[in-house]
Amino acid sequence: MTSLPLQDRTCVVTVTYGERTHLLAEVLRAAFRCGAACAVVVDNGTPRSAQKALASLQDEFGTDALHVVRLEKNEGSAGGFHAGLAYAARLHDMRFIWVLDDDNVPDENALSVLLDCWKRLGADESNAMMSFRVDKRQYRKVLDRKTLHWVEPDAFFDFNLAHLWNGGKRKAAIREGCFELGVAAYGGFWFARSWLDRIALPPQHYHLYFDDYAFSQQIPAAGGHIWLCPDSRLRDIDESWRANRKAIHPWLDPKTEERRVFCTIRNRLWLERSLATSPILHRLNMALYLLVKVIAPNLGTMLTRAGSAPAFLRRFRLIHRAVRAGLS
């Protein structure tokens, strides 16, 4: 088990829901092996059986090390992490926060590697760090293409017609083997607790998806930096709902929960609209994305599943509702 100096004490913040405490237990054990001093777990409206399992985990780690924040109903990732980070903000004996999803299992050296990279970058609390999740395509692209992962003004889900004349995607700064990010997902995001005194907590009205981007982008906006550290690794032990995108776009897949599709599109538009400099270009990029990325690649699949036409029609209506909500 790694032991970090007192001045580098790190608190893990995570959110669990449903019957996922078997995943959470692996994450917590790995995080404490990494050297985390304590963990805040938000119980996002779990059933009674999961509450009992959480109580057992508190017995295992001790109530001083494992803090449980109970929400009576599932408030989504936005509400859950809002509550967890609000609790962690009051832990003034912790210097750093490490946000993990309840299925992100860190390697044993993941935290010490983050801390070492942060110190090589100048030990400046304005720098936040991000662990590398191998399953995340956007982070693999950062390493392969050395481009900045951010919410680009006027783009729609990173699709931007302006790349035809503006030189393409912006290159990421690289320092000490770490790559600049403009936004970060919750899973693996590590930053000084003092940031919670300066920036807003995740927007609860997002409910699901992109609340992490809305939260994390405040750090670069306030003059800070986020750095992806490729050698600090996390392993996801639960498959994402987007994993089947090779078969059909997840927005059109009847197996994908409608709420997920709706919140993904609506929230992304909320985020992008706040940054758009040309609403006309943004809407053009949205129309082209839907045509080129969603409809065209899946047209053959839709035609060969003629019996599923009503289901596809419902999906397009759902996408339309989400777009209207995101633009309203």
Side-chain angles (χ1 to χ4, degrees):
M1 180 178 291
T2 303
S3 179
L4 299 180
L6 288 177
Q7 67 269 23
D8 299 326
R9 286 165 64 88
T10 295
C11 174
V12 166
V13 174
T14 189
V15 175
T16 194
Y17 61 97
E19 296 281 4
R20 294 171 60 88
T21 46
H22 61 293
L23 302 173
L24 174 68
E26 286 193 53
V27 172
L28 291 175
R29 289 172 188 137
F32 283 120
R33 281 197 299 271
C34 282
C38 75
V40 175
V41 174
V42 176
D43 172 356
N44 212 357
T46 64
R48 187 174 297 276
S49 56
Q51 293 173 44
K52 290 181 179 178
L54 281 172
S56 296
L57 288 174
Q58 274 196 304
D59 290 339
E60 177 180 342
F61 299 114
T63 54
D64 290 336
L66 181 57
H67 308 262
V68 176
V69 178
R70 167 75 181 168
L71 300 181
E72 290 304 316
K73 64 177 182 177
N74 191 326
E75 303 286 353
S77 63
F81 281 106
H82 183 105
L85 291 168
Y87 187 98
R90 301 192 295 269
L91 301 177
H92 292 279
D93 57 335
M94 296 292 151
R95 188 178 184 189
F96 300 106
I97 305 296
W98 196 20
V99 185
L100 298 174
D101 289 333
D102 68 353
D103 62 348
N104 298 154
V105 175
D107 287 355
E108 190 163 348
N109 68 342
L111 184 53
S112 59
V113 167
L114 281 181
L115 186 61
D116 178 64
C117 289
W118 178 77
K119 288 179 178 179
R120 284 191 281 113
L121 287 167
D124 185 345
E125 289 195 1
S126 67
N127 286 324
M129 308 298 296
M130 184 72 193
S131 295
F132 179 62
R133 291 169 62 182
V134 179
D135 76 304
K136 286 290 186 182
R137 293 173 65 249
Q138 60 265 42
Y139 297 139
R140 295 201 303 271
K141 286 181 180 179
V142 169
L143 301 190
D144 293 341
R145 303 176 185 178
K146 299 177 174 55
T147 52
L148 179 67
H149 176 62
W150 63 322
V151 181
E152 184 179 358
D154 304 323
F156 180 72
F157 280 91
D158 297 326
F159 182 92
N160 195 350
L161 189 64
H163 290 167
L164 294 176
W165 62 80
N166 68 4
K169 290 195 173 184
R170 182 174 141 188
K171 291 296 183 180
I174 305 173
R175 288 181 55 195
E176 299 294 337
C178 298
F179 295 74
E180 175 191 15
L181 297 174
V183 291
Y186 288 132
F189 191 31
W190 182 90
F191 55 91
R193 189 211 55 79
S194 58
W195 273 110
L196 296 177
D197 299 327
R198 301 171 55 190
I199 61 176
L201 294 170
Q204 292 170 288
H205 64 287
Y206 273 52
H207 189 65
L208 292 173
Y209 308 124
F210 298 116
D211 43 294
D212 46 5
Y213 284 14
F215 170 69
S216 61
Q217 74 169 3
Q218 297 177 94
I219 289 181
H225 300 275
I226 305 172
W227 299 96
L228 175 64
C229 181
D231 293 330
S232 172
R233 297 200 164 216
L234 305 180
R235 174 173 55 93
D236 286 4
I237 53 175
D238 188 40
E239 187 178 78
S240 168
W241 63 277
R242 300 179 181 88
N244 196 36
R245 64 182 301 145
K246 289 183 179 179
I248 188 171
H249 196 286
W251 294 358
L252 300 179
D253 191 343
K255 296 178 182 177
T256 305
E257 186 182 355
E258 290 191 356
R259 179 186 59 145
R260 292 182 184 273
V261 177
F262 183 87
C263 288
T264 296
I265 298 170
R266 180 199 63 182
N267 294 1
R268 183 74 185 207
L269 281 170
W270 278 347
L271 191 58
E272 291 176 350
R273 282 180 63 216
S274 68
L275 302 171
T277 59
S278 171
I280 293 175
L281 178 59
H282 181 231
R283 292 198 180 203
L284 178 60
N285 283 325
M286 178 175 59
L288 288 173
Y289 178 94
L290 292 171
L291 178 63
V292 174
K293 299 287 190 178
V294 180
I295 297 174
N298 297 285
L299 191 57
T301 302
M302 289 188 284
L303 291 175
T304 57
R305 297 184 188 178
S308 299
F312 286 125
L313 183 58
R314 284 196 299 272
R315 278 303 158 114
F316 282 115
R317 287 173 176 164
L318 174 67
I319 291 170
H320 181 252
R321 290 199 307 273
V323 168
R324 288 186 62 184
L327 294 176
S328 62

